[in-house]
Amino acid sequence: MVKKRQILVIGNNTTGCTPKHEKIAYEIGVEIAKSNSLLITGGLGGVMNACSHGAKDANGLTMGIIPQDDPTFANDYCDIVIPSGMGFTRDFLNALSADGVIIVGGGSGTLSEVCAAYMSKKPMVAIRGIDSAITYIDGYVDYRKNVKIIGVDTPKEAVSKIIELITA
Amino acid sequence: MVKKRQILVIGNNTTGCTPKHEKIAYEIGVEIAKSNSLLITGGLGGVMNACSHGAKDANGLTMGIIPQDDPTFANDYCDIVIPSGMGFTRDFLNALSADGVIIVGGGSGTLSEVCAAYMSKKPMVAIRGIDSAITYIDGYVDYRKNVKIIGVDTPKEAVSKIIELITA
Amino acid sequence: MVKKRQILVIGNNTTGCTPKHEKIAYEIGVEIAKSNSLLITGGLGGVMNACSHGAKDANGLTMGIIPQDDPTFANDYCDIVIPSGMGFTRDFLNALSADGVIIVGGGSGTLSEVCAAYMSKKPMVAIRGIDSAITYIDGYVDYRKNVKIIGVDTPKEAVSKIIELITA
Amino acid sequence: MVKKRQILVIGNNTTGCTPKHEKIAYEIGVEIAKSNSLLITGGLGGVMNACSHGAKDANGLTMGIIPQDDPTFANDYCDIVIPSGMGFTRDFLNALSADGVIIVGGGSGTLSEVCAAYMSKKPMVAIRGIDSAITYIDGYVDYRKNVKIIGVDTPKEAVSKIIELITA
């Protein structure tokens, strides 16, 4: 078995992604690279772009699974591009491809990925204290209460926690 | 143009579906049949089964889009079965197939369909006052506050409202 | 069980569809309607349009599963539209949705549907004597030699044969 | 832009894969690794397993896109696994993910990937002189006649030719 650890990072595309989200995402990318895991994102802008940027700056390996059927729509920091051609339905593919998920804020697209990850029983952590639509999932699942989605406070903690959950 | 009005009804599968949910779903099915619309569901149990049952009892037309690749997994009340073979990814297909969506409670699967419907800008109504995971979507979108997802109180109101929103 | 018989008709889109193909497809649509089966097509032009046209002229029920995520791309003869949003990947969905398949010529898209139908063990018939890319499939499967894909000579024979194979 | 060259290798799963197919596939994997490209396969047995084995023995990077939703179904030589959960529909995802395709024999599944690659205009080469279902595609496209799919005689030639076609 040569399979790498595959960590999905999700959050807002360009719209709704603040400099604070970007800074956190970038640092998560750096930590994922340092952990020698594969970073998977949705391959577009905002959190996806910042996180992949961080991973590449730290010499990590990155993959983007994009809605379009043309790889040139991916951001510049994806070593590997899956141009799924299935529109936002690719959100499910992202979740299925993850061994674990890190949530950095996000809106309805991110929420659909959380649902898919939840249904396929993937461990999830979420950065506390940033704007997000994802507060309640499936009956009182609240990451701020550390139920099902584990709340974390820093990029470093996010990556070490998700690796711990994947390995458990 | 001969295309029928296509209404998707979503909610819990067998697990989590109470007699109250089933009664409401059945009546929504009857109303959809009476409105001469096509009822689309996920084709399995619980809300999906009850709603299709109601529609067939009122001589309506029903379609079930199921996760499996074998049509025999569909409930007994589907005139048409799409055995998608794509697992829960079919939730996106359900949403894309809808001209409008009626929400009858639900958990993480239902929530993923709501996200997909939201992203593809489909009108949505939700039955008020029943247990549901779907309280907050995309930054304070709360159907109990009538934001984005319109709250309704009865099956009859659900169907007339969604038809009004589809036609608008 | 209320499920209808679901027959998929495949062949060229506008490009590559001759008046001869259209005439045959139209008549197949009429026969499918008369047999009280659901006609499924890819919902676009050429063979898909002609066949749906025939079915509607004979008061049949028609469904189109299209690559786009917008139902207005479907032809005017679809009672039900599945705007799959998954591009040509929808070819597999077409095949999975069929109880049986009728082939009216066709190119690479049609051939991918034949492969998908073959892999999911759906019965297939093909009109003999018209231009088609589909001559050899999976090791000397040749519909002109009546191996695996059964060759037929008329629209009437195509529909009666596929119904016989579905029922067997 | 950090994107790697992504080469898809397709052919029979365990059934239908002879020692000759395996030997060729293994050597293609070695050549792809030496060219510093990413090897993509369907992640299962036969040609997919042999090719990934070769790539790993030569320290290459490998990805398997599998039908199942569980990564443990992939062979032991995949660095990255996409457990698509969409059954054989993943054949289209394979084709879309490729910058170019190398064909090593194959049956109906391989043929569906060829159709998808053809529709998305990906360059293709095929090893001559081995058993294969893929002889005619889209009207007299015959790789033995070097039409559309370019015939090659050795693993080394296959990889150098597909790189030339991707770069062109």
Side-chain angles (χ1 to χ4, degrees):
Chain A
M1 281 287 295
V2 298
K3 192 187 156 302
K4 294 175 182 298
R5 197 187 296 115
Q6 303 183 186
I7 301 177
L8 174 69
V9 177
I10 57 178
N12 281 112
N13 199 345
T14 318
T15 311
C17 181
T18 68
K20 184 178 175 186
H21 289 91
E22 281 187 355
K23 185 169 181 301
I24 292 167
Y26 180 92
E27 287 170 17
I28 289 172
V30 169
E31 293 296 325
I32 289 175
K34 280 159 63 179
S35 79
N36 204 26
S37 310
L38 170 71
L39 167 64
I40 303 178
T41 71
L44 301 179
V47 160
M48 300 171 266
N49 183 75
C51 193
S52 303
H53 192 170
K56 288 314 298 175
D57 281 356
N59 293 311
L61 184 67
T62 59
M63 179 165 73
I65 304 177
I66 62 173
Q68 297 88 351
D69 62 6
D70 175 349
T72 63
F73 282 92
N75 67 52
D76 288 343
Y77 306 106
C78 296
D79 292 306
I80 302 165
V81 177
I82 308 282
S84 72
M86 53 178 68
F88 291 117
T89 305
R90 75 80 154 81
D91 288 353
F92 267 77
L93 202 56
N94 290 355
L96 285 165
S97 300
D99 296 318
V101 183
I102 299 174
I103 307 165
V104 184
S108 54
T110 305
L111 186 51
S112 75
E113 289 169 301
V114 169
C115 293
Y118 180 89
M119 287 188 277
S120 49
K121 301 186 201 311
K122 308 288 173 141
M124 287 185 263
V125 304
I127 299 289
R128 287 193 185 95
I130 54 173
D131 285 345
S132 177
I134 302 162
T135 52
Y136 287 92
I137 306 228
D138 205 20
Y140 312 107
V141 174
D142 186 342
Y143 70 78
R144 290 173 307 193
K145 291 177 189 160
N146 287 349
V147 184
K148 291 268 167 60
I149 301 175
I150 309 293
V152 291
D153 293 310
T154 66
K156 203 177 192 102
E157 193 191 347
V159 176
S160 65
K161 189 69 190 171
I162 199 67
I163 289 176
E164 178 194 321
L165 292 168
I166 290 170
T167 316
Chain B
M1 280 289 295
V2 298
K3 193 187 154 302
K4 294 177 182 297
R5 197 186 297 115
Q6 302 183 187
I7 300 178
L8 174 70
V9 178
I10 58 179
N12 281 111
N13 199 346
T14 319
T15 310
C17 182
T18 69
K20 184 176 175 186
H21 289 91
E22 279 186 356
K23 185 170 182 300
I24 292 168
Y26 180 92
E27 287 170 17
I28 289 172
V30 170
E31 293 297 326
I32 289 175
K34 280 158 64 178
S35 79
N36 203 26
S37 309
L38 170 71
L39 168 63
I40 303 177
T41 71
L44 300 178
V47 160
M48 300 171 265
N49 183 74
C51 193
S52 304
H53 192 170
K56 288 314 300 174
D57 281 355
N59 294 311
L61 185 68
T62 60
M63 178 165 73
I65 304 177
I66 62 173
Q68 297 88 352
D69 61 6
D70 176 348
T72 63
F73 283 92
N75 67 52
D76 289 343
Y77 306 105
C78 296
D79 292 307
I80 303 165
V81 178
I82 308 282
S84 71
M86 53 177 67
F88 291 117
T89 305
R90 75 83 156 79
D91 289 353
F92 267 77
L93 202 56
N94 291 355
L96 285 165
S97 299
D99 296 319
V101 184
I102 298 174
I103 306 165
V104 185
S108 53
T110 304
L111 185 51
S112 75
E113 289 169 301
V114 169
C115 293
Y118 180 88
M119 286 188 278
S120 49
K121 300 188 200 311
K122 308 287 171 139
M124 287 184 264
V125 305
I127 300 290
R128 287 193 184 95
I130 54 172
D131 285 344
S132 177
I134 302 163
T135 52
Y136 286 93
I137 306 225
D138 205 19
Y140 311 107
V141 175
D142 185 344
Y143 70 81
R144 292 174 304 194
K145 290 178 188 158
N146 286 349
V147 185
K148 291 267 165 59
I149 301 174
I150 309 292
V152 291
D153 293 310
T154 66
K156 206 178 189 100
E157 192 191 347
V159 176
S160 66
K161 189 69 189 174
I162 200 67
I163 290 176
E164 177 194 322
L165 291 168
I166 291 170
T167 316
Chain C
M1 283 286 295
V2 297
K3 192 185 155 304
K4 294 175 183 299
R5 196 186 298 114
Q6 304 181 186
I7 300 176
L8 174 69
V9 177
I10 57 179
N12 280 113
N13 198 346
T14 318
T15 310
C17 183
T18 68
K20 184 177 175 187
H21 289 91
E22 281 187 355
K23 185 168 181 302
I24 292 168
Y26 180 92
E27 286 169 18
I28 289 172
V30 170
E31 293 298 324
I32 289 175
K34 279 158 64 178
S35 78
N36 203 25
S37 310
L38 170 71
L39 167 64
I40 304 178
T41 71
L44 300 178
V47 161
M48 301 172 265
N49 183 74
C51 194
S52 304
H53 192 170
K56 288 314 298 174
D57 281 356
N59 293 312
L61 184 67
T62 59
M63 179 164 73
I65 305 179
I66 62 173
Q68 297 88 351
D69 62 6
D70 176 348
T72 62
F73 282 92
N75 67 52
D76 288 344
Y77 306 105
C78 296
D79 292 306
I80 303 166
V81 178
I82 309 282
S84 71
M86 53 178 68
F88 291 117
T89 306
R90 75 80 156 80
D91 288 352
F92 268 76
L93 203 55
N94 291 356
L96 285 164
S97 299
D99 296 319
V101 183
I102 299 174
I103 306 165
V104 185
S108 55
T110 304
L111 185 52
S112 76
E113 290 169 301
V114 170
C115 292
Y118 180 89
M119 287 188 276
S120 49
K121 301 187 201 311
K122 309 288 173 140
M124 288 185 264
V125 304
I127 299 289
R128 286 193 185 95
I130 53 174
D131 285 345
S132 177
I134 302 164
T135 52
Y136 285 92
I137 307 231
D138 205 19
Y140 313 107
V141 174
D142 185 343
Y143 71 78
R144 291 173 304 193
K145 291 178 188 158
N146 285 349
V147 184
K148 291 268 166 57
I149 301 174
I150 309 293
V152 291
D153 292 311
T154 66
K156 204 177 191 100
E157 193 191 347
V159 176
S160 66
K161 188 69 188 170
I162 199 67
I163 290 175
E164 178 194 322
L165 292 169
I166 291 171
T167 316
Chain D
M1 282 288 294
V2 298
K3 191 185 157 302
K4 294 176 183 299
R5 197 186 297 115
Q6 303 183 187
I7 301 177
L8 174 69
V9 177
I10 58 179
N12 280 112
N13 199 345
T14 319
T15 311
C17 181
T18 68
K20 184 176 174 187
H21 289 91
E22 281 187 354
K23 185 169 181 302
I24 292 168
Y26 180 92
E27 286 170 17
I28 290 172
V30 169
E31 293 297 325
I32 288 175
K34 279 158 66 178
S35 79
N36 203 26
S37 310
L38 170 71
L39 167 64
I40 304 178
T41 71
L44 300 179
V47 160
M48 300 172 265
N49 183 75
C51 193
S52 304
H53 192 169
K56 288 314 298 175
D57 281 355
N59 294 309
L61 185 67
T62 59
M63 179 164 73
I65 304 177
I66 62 174
Q68 297 88 352
D69 61 6
D70 176 347
T72 63
F73 282 93
N75 67 52
D76 289 343
Y77 306 106
C78 296
D79 293 305
I80 303 166
V81 178
I82 308 282
S84 72
M86 53 178 68
F88 291 118
T89 306
R90 73 84 155 78
D91 288 353
F92 268 76
L93 203 56
N94 290 356
L96 286 164
S97 299
D99 296 319
V101 184
I102 298 174
I103 307 166
V104 185
S108 54
T110 304
L111 185 51
S112 75
E113 290 170 300
V114 169
C115 293
Y118 179 89
M119 286 188 277
S120 48
K121 300 185 201 310
K122 309 287 172 142
M124 287 185 263
V125 304
I127 300 289
R128 285 193 185 96
I130 54 173
D131 284 346
S132 178
I134 302 162
T135 52
Y136 285 92
I137 306 229
D138 204 21
Y140 312 106
V141 174
D142 186 343
Y143 70 78
R144 291 173 306 191
K145 292 179 189 157
N146 286 348
V147 185
K148 289 270 166 59
I149 301 174
I150 309 293
V152 290
D153 293 310
T154 67
K156 205 178 190 100
E157 192 191 347
V159 176
S160 66
K161 189 69 189 172
I162 200 67
I163 290 176
E164 178 194 321
L165 291 168
I166 291 171
T167 315

